[in-house]
Amino acid sequence: MKKLYFFLTLSLGCLSTMLAQVTVKGTVVSNADGLPISGAAVTIKGKTTTGTATDFDGNFTLQLKEENGVLVISSLGFASKEVAYNGNQTIAVSLDEATNSLDEVVLIGYGSTKKGDLTSAIGTAANVGTITSRPVGNYKEFLQGNIAGVTVLSSGGDPTSTASIKIRGIGTLNSESPLVVVDGLPYSGPEINPNDIASISVLKDAASAAIYGAQAASGVIVIETKKGKTGKPRLNVNYYTGIKTASNLPTPLTAQQQSEVYNLAADNAGVPRQSAHDAAQNPYGQVNRTNWIDAIFRDATVNNLNVDLSGAGEKYNYYTSFAFRDREGVLEGTSSQNYSLRLKSDFNITNKITVGENIYFSRDEAYGTNTDNPYSGTIINAIYMPSASPTRYEDGSFAGVVPENLSQFAGAYGDVYNPLALLLRPTKESPKTFINANVYFKYDLLDGLAFKSSYSYSYRDNKTKEFYPRVPELGRSNSQNSLLQTNTTQNKWIWDNQLSYNKSFGNHNLNATAIYSAQKTKGDYIYLRGTGFSSEEPFNQYMQNAELLNKPSNNPFEEALTSAIGRVMYNYNNKYYISGSIRTDESSRLAVENQSDTFTSVSAGWRISNESFFNIDAINDLKFRASWGEIGNIQSISGYYPFDVPVASSNVVMGENGAYFDNVGSYVQRNANRNLKWETAESLDFGLDASLFNNSLSLTVDYFEKTTKGMIIPGLADINQGISPADVNGGQVKNTGLEVSATYTNTNGALNYSINANATTIKNELENLDGYASIGQDVFYHTDNVRSVLVPYQTQVGGALYTPYLIPQLGIFNTQAEIDAYTKDGNLIQPNARPGDFKFQDTNNDGKIGSEDRKYYDAYQPKVTYNLGANLDYKGFDFNVILQGVAGVKAFNGYKFTTYNGALSGYNLDNRVLDAWSPTNTDTDIPIISTKDDNKNFGTASSWYLEDASYLRIKNVTLGYTFNNKVMDKLSKGSSLRMYVSGENLVTFTKYTGLDPEVGGKGLDIAKYPVAKTFTLGLLLSL
């Protein structure tokens, strides 16, 4: 019996020993900067079938049978490293960097992977670390020109506006903007603190973005914020200060020139001169008192402070930052002020459980001005305002076109606003508060299998309060004062539950992800307006003191989106790759029968350089890839209207003595369409990634086609109903393009340098307007205009969206003989023309000039966008330069309609009219100055307004110096200090005659707020 007991005990002991496992955990970081390395392979030496890969934070866990052994840690972007282990333990591994760019880890939807393993089109922002050295207010400014296929359209220099981003062209006439994902969850708040950003990836094709479904038709921008590094806590201080200045500003006529020009214009028109421009009758109008452009523009200051504290240990990681940005606008009275706070941490509760939180708070207060309106735009009124007027009178009040005692001359100068009063007179408050809080729980279920639950809650509260006093001065007077108040609130939650499996089986590598996501948004917009305030002092600027309170209005909104998502990525022996995803979305924005839709994608890759037959010394790595996918555009659907009859209300006057505010009536505003569906974007992509010449040159090339199907357009009106038609899915748009990116990196002794460049060409085409097929209409009419006179855009099937549709201008008639010779069947084609007038093309050959003579021109969508950058590092000095530009782009310079035109209301003009045509000045493109426009030189939407807006801009130049480590160690062990000077938007090479060729939008320019040059001096201190 004892022998049997002994035998059983021995057998169980042996069995337990055989089944016992050793747990080895660790973190893999880069030796260069201490950042975690994601996707690094961790295997047992001699047993490549046993292993795992590090997660995004560089962490790994291995369950091993052997008590002792050697781990091999490798990542193609780094030199491999062997580390011995002995029993259960946690190890820290640092890898030296290699130079092959295909080993770079990039962010993808719900995860990350090495660039060399990608089978879809994903771009990464180069040199994202330099964002702290440039005076950029947000990541959009940094992205401009940084990634091929990503077009950043600046909205000018207004502190209240931000740039728009188009990924691979304009795909719709409706709202479209990329989905922004921050730290793994969709983000809908203000632009985050750029100093917090660790990396930026852009998902450009449907195969990469399809996992985000109906939110991702316009692409996805994936941002990862910084984390703490292992070692002692680090305190970083980044501060810069600088000056912004506007350049290439127009010059208005002086007082004397204005009188001379209008007297000449009257003579050319054959009408009497106005008394206001007679020096004997109005000597006041001959004295030059103000250059109004100089009066409204200024040199503006910029101050930015960012402080962050971070650190990491074996079981925790934390990062916290505080930022304060104070920026004046180059226009008087415009500014923006922002402060933000981020608290971010991760904790390993056990070997299997990790939790974390990420809280971001932002507070903004920005004041801008209207520069797009051809009547009340600030800059254009600085041209309109007579130079004879001072900015203010002696009593401190704002000046009008003339003083009250000369009111008989006021009409000669037009209905002009004092532009400085437009900037400084209103009292404005616009606080915007935003908070976003994310928490997550992660549990490692089995080797390679993990569950993660993430929850995000955000709250937005935007308020405005604007008091507009009376405008008593002559010009565009207004005896009514008013107070406007708005309040927008929004709360949103997102809950994602993700199951991930990442495992290698010999040469088979599998990554699978399954997600269920739900989100809900709820908010309200409230609008109040009151007029008739007895006192304009600050104490009285409250709604209860209004004599008349307009009916308040509000716009509550609520929507929900649920999604089920699956993705599988597989590769065999790092040679053959295939990936597929499927996502089903259900949105409350649509009628029940159309609320749900499914989006799929598939992609494949072949790493030919890993084949045994491939032996080209110059090519270190080469991969071909192809992808197809489809995604939706939920942004194209707004509000409840598709599945409900939109009822509107309005004040109505009833009875003979009825007052406007006595009664409110309701009416059907427009038809509904329960069959409306979201737009769908389908994309096809063929690309290659290569690393050449000992990994010194990396190259990426992509050809793509992106088609928007079911584009939403206004339907056809029923003339029997008298109400607006419902929207329908009635159009299709296609973007076709080629992207090329290259980076060359090398060293020469102590000099390290890199050169990067990218270029993109895109063709945009409206393929059909099936929604109008029943009436044979193949054009879409746009309403964008200049003073309701010039309507320059129309889109035709086969052409680009927002195509200029204009009458060709052939030049200027220099003689009466030229006019007489321009005939059709013996009749003058332009009977109202005279020498100095424009000659227009009779395109349809009907003998007259009319709207039928219009033809299509190139749209404001660059044929080519390009970027060139260089980075040099030599013995502590660093130098960076970025050149950015566009080619083959046309802008409609509507600024010329009022500022070159003497036939309007008597406004002052741009001094370039001094070069207008005259019998002695025929070498010009500006027509004769006249108070009559019988030939419609200015009233014709012609190609004269269309200008080449191509440009090359020296976007940034930065020179820095990092102090020697030995010097800094005397201050604090391990500390560092870098000082730098930087210039932004330094020089622009262009033929465009407007303020700035970077017009933005559709290319319609009416003196937009210009992008300013910025010069800064800064330091980065790390302790």
Side-chain angles (χ1 to χ4, degrees):
M1 191 67 181
K2 291 182 179 180
K3 291 182 179 181
L4 179 60
Y5 178 77
F6 174 77
F7 175 76
L8 291 173
T9 303
L10 180 63
S11 298
L12 289 172
C14 292
L15 182 62
S16 63
T17 301
M18 292 175 61
L19 296 177
Q21 287 189 330
V22 173
T23 300
V24 179
K25 299 180 63 178
T27 302
V28 182
V29 300
S30 167
N31 193 38
D33 54 17
L35 292 176
I37 299 173
S38 173
V42 184
T43 60
I44 301 297
K45 187 175 182 180
K47 298 182 179 181
T48 57
T49 58
T50 303
T52 186
T54 58
D55 61 18
F56 188 79
D57 299 326
N59 300 317
F60 70 88
T61 301
L62 269 178
Q63 303 289 340
L64 304 169
K65 295 180 180 179
E66 294 82 2
E67 182 75 17
N68 304 294
V70 176
L71 299 181
V72 179
I73 297 93
S74 62
S75 180
L76 292 178
F78 299 83
S80 298
K81 194 169 189 176
E82 296 183 359
V83 178
Y85 72 91
N86 184 11
N88 296 328
Q89 66 180 110
T90 300
I91 60 177
V93 183
S94 59
L95 300 183
D96 294 323
E97 291 183 353
T99 57
N100 188 349
S101 68
L102 294 183
D103 299 323
E104 173 190 359
V105 174
V106 298
L107 299 168
I108 61 175
Y110 297 100
S112 64
T113 189
K114 288 193 289 289
K115 185 176 181 180
D117 293 340
L118 289 176
T119 54
S120 55
I122 298 179
T124 57
N127 305 310
V128 72
T130 63
I131 197 170
T132 59
S133 301
R134 290 179 55 187
V136 294
N138 54 67
Y139 71 89
K140 294 179 180 178
E141 297 176 24
F142 176 77
L143 280 182
Q144 189 170 41
N146 205 305
I147 300 176
V150 179
T151 303
V152 180
L153 300 174
S154 171
S155 55
D158 192 310
T160 61
S161 62
T162 61
S164 63
I165 295 180
K166 304 297 180 185
I167 298 175
R168 292 187 163 179
I170 300 174
T172 179
L173 296 170
N174 302 294
S175 173
E176 62 171 351
S177 59
L179 173 69
V180 179
V181 176
V182 177
D183 291 328
L185 288 168
Y187 176 83
S188 57
E191 278 79 10
I192 68 172
N193 175 15
N195 284 269
D196 286 347
I197 296 175
S199 63
I200 305 176
S201 295
V202 178
L203 316 186
K204 296 186 288 185
D205 65 343
S208 59
I211 197 166
Y212 290 107
Q215 304 175 88
S218 305
V220 183
I221 298 173
V222 185
I223 298 174
E224 187 73 16
T225 58
K226 294 176 180 176
K227 299 172 67 72
K229 301 177 183 179
T230 55
K232 72 171 188 176
R234 303 291 296 185
L235 176 66
N236 298 307
V237 179
N238 178 13
Y239 173 75
Y240 65 75
T241 184
I243 295 291
K244 295 198 301 182
T245 182
S247 59
N248 194 40
L249 297 176
T251 303
L253 295 170
T254 65
Q256 300 90 335
Q257 289 171 342
Q258 183 177 5
S259 290
E260 292 169 0
V261 165
Y262 271 99
N263 286 333
L264 176 62
D267 295 344
N268 288 335
V271 299
R273 296 181 174 185
Q274 291 185 308
S275 58
H277 300 303
D278 185 339
Q281 297 184 62
N282 182 25
Y284 178 91
Q286 302 295 314
V287 179
N288 202 59
R289 296 177 177 85
T290 307
N291 180 317
W292 285 97
I293 292 294
D294 290 345
I296 63 172
F297 280 93
R298 64 182 176 183
D299 289 338
T301 61
V302 178
N303 286 282
N304 187 95
L305 173 66
N306 192 88
V307 180
D308 64 73
L309 178 67
S310 62
E314 181 180 342
K315 294 183 177 295
Y316 64 89
N317 183 295
Y318 65 91
Y319 173 86
T320 181
S321 70
F322 172 79
F324 175 75
R325 295 188 293 276
D326 188 6
R327 297 164 178 260
E328 291 181 337
V330 292
L331 283 174
E332 292 282 353
T334 61
S335 64
S336 68
Q337 195 174 84
N338 165 273
Y339 58 87
S340 62
L341 176 69
R342 182 177 297 278
L343 302 172
K344 181 180 180 182
S345 62
D346 306 278
F347 298 94
N348 297 325
I349 304 299
T350 69
N351 291 339
K352 292 181 174 291
I353 297 176
T354 304
V355 298
E357 53 77 30
N358 190 344
I359 300 172
Y360 183 68
F361 173 82
S362 174
R363 172 82 171 188
D364 294 274
E365 186 111 15
Y367 306 100
T369 186
N370 169 26
T371 58
D372 292 328
N373 192 303
Y375 295 98
S376 59
T378 302
I379 297 175
I380 208 159
N381 271 275
I383 298 293
Y384 296 166
M385 193 71 177
S387 299
S389 299
T391 56
R392 297 175 185 264
Y393 295 129
E394 292 183 358
D395 63 358
S397 61
F398 289 106
V401 292
V402 291
E404 289 290 340
N405 63 326
L406 298 176
S407 59
Q408 69 271 25
F409 300 124
Y413 295 103
D415 51 345
V416 183
Y417 290 103
N418 181 319
L420 197 62
L422 286 175
L423 293 167
L424 302 180
R425 174 182 277 133
T427 302
K428 297 183 179 182
E429 299 175 12
S430 60
K432 297 179 180 179
T433 304
F434 177 81
I435 187 167
N436 187 82
N438 301 342
V439 293
Y440 77 86
F441 167 87
K442 182 182 178 183
Y443 181 63
D444 295 326
L445 299 168
L446 299 170
D447 183 19
L449 181 64
F451 169 76
K452 183 178 181 181
S453 182
S454 303
Y455 182 83
S456 169
Y457 178 82
S458 64
Y459 178 76
R460 180 199 303 267
D461 185 7
N462 296 348
K463 294 182 172 69
T464 63
K465 181 181 179 182
E466 301 176 354
F467 184 80
Y468 295 91
R470 301 178 186 90
V471 181
E473 64 268 13
L474 295 174
R476 196 164 189 137
S477 304
N478 186 357
S479 61
Q480 185 71 273
N481 55 28
S482 63
L483 175 64
L484 169 68
Q485 285 187 252
T486 67
N487 185 204
T488 302
T489 57
Q490 175 185 293
N491 61 77
K492 180 176 184 177
W493 61 260
I494 303 172
W495 189 12
D496 285 356
N497 290 283
Q498 178 178 348
L499 198 62
S500 302
Y501 184 70
N502 189 358
K503 191 71 174 177
S504 297
F505 306 93
N507 292 326
H508 303 274
N509 304 291
L510 179 65
N511 185 315
T513 301
I515 304 156
Y516 181 79
S517 176
Q519 57 181 273
K520 186 174 183 179
T521 306
K522 186 176 182 179
D524 198 0
Y525 169 79
I526 299 173
Y527 175 93
L528 296 171
R529 185 175 185 270
T531 58
F533 292 83
S534 59
S535 171
E536 296 183 343
E537 293 299 318
F539 69 82
N540 201 52
Q541 296 176 10
Y542 293 92
M543 203 61 71
Q544 66 182 11
N545 298 319
E547 178 183 351
L548 182 63
L549 185 63
N550 292 13
K551 178 193 173 186
S553 63
N554 73 314
N555 182 25
F557 55 92
E558 185 174 5
E559 62 177 281
L561 176 69
T562 59
S563 310
I565 309 149
R567 178 182 63 199
V568 176
M569 297 187 296
Y570 167 82
N571 80 74
Y572 174 76
N573 201 24
N574 292 321
K575 286 194 294 186
Y576 312 113
Y577 300 83
I578 188 167
S579 176
S581 72
I582 183 169
R583 172 169 176 146
T584 297
D585 286 323
E586 187 172 1
S587 171
S588 64
R589 290 193 182 190
L590 292 157
V592 174
E593 55 268 32
N594 292 315
Q595 284 184 348
S596 180
D597 208 344
T598 299
F599 307 98
T600 58
S601 75
V602 63
S603 59
W606 179 27
R607 204 166 194 170
I608 190 174
S609 57
N610 282 1
E611 295 286 1
S612 58
F613 61 79
F614 190 90
N615 188 21
I616 302 177
D617 292 339
I619 302 178
N620 307 105
D621 212 327
L622 177 62
K623 184 187 65 184
F624 299 103
R625 50 184 167 77
S627 68
W628 172 90
E630 57 183 3
I631 43 184
N633 180 13
I634 198 64
Q635 298 177 60
S636 62
I637 308 292
S638 60
Y640 301 99
Y641 125 76
F643 55 91
D644 197 5
V645 176
V647 176
S649 62
S650 177
N651 294 96
V652 293
V653 177
M654 300 185 66
E656 184 176 332
N657 300 316
Y660 180 72
F661 292 99
D662 285 349
N663 300 282
V664 176
S666 297
Y667 61 97
V668 176
Q669 187 177 33
R670 65 186 306 180
N671 278 317
N673 178 10
R674 295 187 62 87
N675 297 318
L676 193 71
K677 300 178 181 180
W678 41 34
E679 300 172 349
T680 300
E682 180 184 38
S683 77
L684 182 67
D685 187 280
F686 298 97
L688 68 84
D689 302 305
S691 186
L692 313 171
F693 310 121
N694 294 322
N695 297 317
S696 61
L697 176 64
S698 63
L699 178 68
T700 297
V701 180
D702 279 278
Y703 168 81
F704 66 88
E705 296 179 0
K706 174 184 172 183
T707 304
T708 300
K709 300 179 178 181
M711 182 178 69
I712 297 175
I713 59 175
L716 297 174
D718 185 340
I719 60 175
N720 297 311
Q721 291 185 345
I723 60 177
S724 300
D727 284 350
V728 297
N729 298 102
Q732 183 166 303
V733 177
K734 185 175 184 178
N735 287 280
T736 306
L738 182 69
E739 302 167 353
V740 180
S741 301
T743 301
Y744 180 77
T745 304
N746 212 334
T747 61
N748 186 357
L751 175 65
N752 303 305
Y753 62 94
S754 67
I755 300 171
N756 59 80
N758 70 67
T760 305
T761 177
I762 296 177
K763 179 186 177 182
N764 177 266
E765 180 185 354
L766 175 65
E767 291 195 315
N768 71 55
L769 277 175
D770 288 347
Y772 299 151
S774 62
I775 61 171
Q777 180 177 319
D778 65 350
V779 297
F780 188 91
Y781 302 105
H782 301 284
T783 58
D784 309 82
N785 66 84
V786 180
R787 286 199 164 203
S788 302
V789 176
L790 306 178
V791 185
Y793 299 114
Q794 180 174 295
T795 299
Q796 184 182 43
V797 172
L801 298 182
Y802 306 109
T803 302
Y805 188 49
L806 311 169
I807 295 177
Q809 185 258 358
L810 303 178
I812 295 178
F813 291 115
N814 285 317
T815 65
Q816 186 62 43
E818 293 178 2
I819 299 172
D820 295 339
Y822 193 40
T823 62
K824 168 69 174 176
D825 298 331
N827 297 316
L828 293 176
I829 293 176
Q830 291 182 236
N832 294 323
R834 58 184 169 174
D837 280 339
F838 282 153
K839 179 181 180 180
F840 299 113
Q841 179 176 309
D842 181 18
T843 306
N844 67 347
N845 200 32
D846 66 351
K848 60 184 178 180
I849 303 301
S851 60
E852 297 82 6
D853 294 309
R854 290 176 294 174
K855 58 181 285 188
Y856 292 98
Y857 288 83
D858 291 338
Y860 184 74
Q861 296 182 43
K863 286 186 170 60
V864 179
T865 61
Y866 58 92
N867 180 78
L868 178 64
N871 305 280
L872 293 85
D873 184 354
Y874 181 77
K875 294 184 177 181
F877 287 96
D878 60 87
F879 176 77
N880 306 286
V881 60
I882 301 172
L883 307 179
Q884 177 260 328
V886 299
V889 57
K890 301 289 186 178
F892 190 86
N893 191 355
Y895 166 85
K896 296 192 290 188
F897 174 73
T898 52
T899 60
Y900 288 19
N901 188 355
L904 293 176
S905 301
Y907 305 137
N908 197 10
L909 304 173
D910 188 298
N911 76 344
R912 278 172 280 197
V913 300
L914 297 175
D915 189 41
W917 185 95
S918 70
T920 59
N921 182 41
T922 58
D923 186 18
T924 180
D925 68 341
I926 302 176
I928 187 171
I929 191 73
S930 175
T931 58
K932 290 183 178 180
D933 191 20
D934 295 335
N935 190 59
K936 294 187 177 180
N937 297 323
F938 295 95
T940 299
S942 74
S943 61
W944 178 69
Y945 290 103
L946 198 64
E947 298 187 19
D948 183 1
S950 303
Y951 68 87
L952 169 62
R953 175 167 285 163
I954 302 179
K955 190 66 180 177
N956 178 264
V957 175
T958 300
L959 175 64
Y961 178 74
T962 302
F963 286 81
N964 187 279
N965 290 339
K966 294 180 180 179
V967 175
M968 294 306 300
D969 283 344
K970 294 178 181 179
L971 173 65
S972 176
K973 186 68 175 178
S975 63
S976 64
L977 174 63
R978 176 175 178 266
M979 301 189 70
Y980 63 90
V981 291
S982 180
E984 194 86 0
N985 303 313
L986 293 179
V987 181
T988 302
F989 303 96
T990 184
K991 296 180 181 179
Y992 186 64
T993 64
L995 275 72
D996 194 309
E998 202 173 345
V999 176
K1002 302 164 188 174
L1004 179 59
D1005 184 15
I1006 312 174
K1008 184 175 288 291
Y1009 200 128
V1011 175
K1013 297 180 180 179
T1014 307
F1015 303 91
T1016 55
L1017 172 66
L1019 63 84
L1020 290 87
L1021 175 64
S1022 180
L1023 300 173

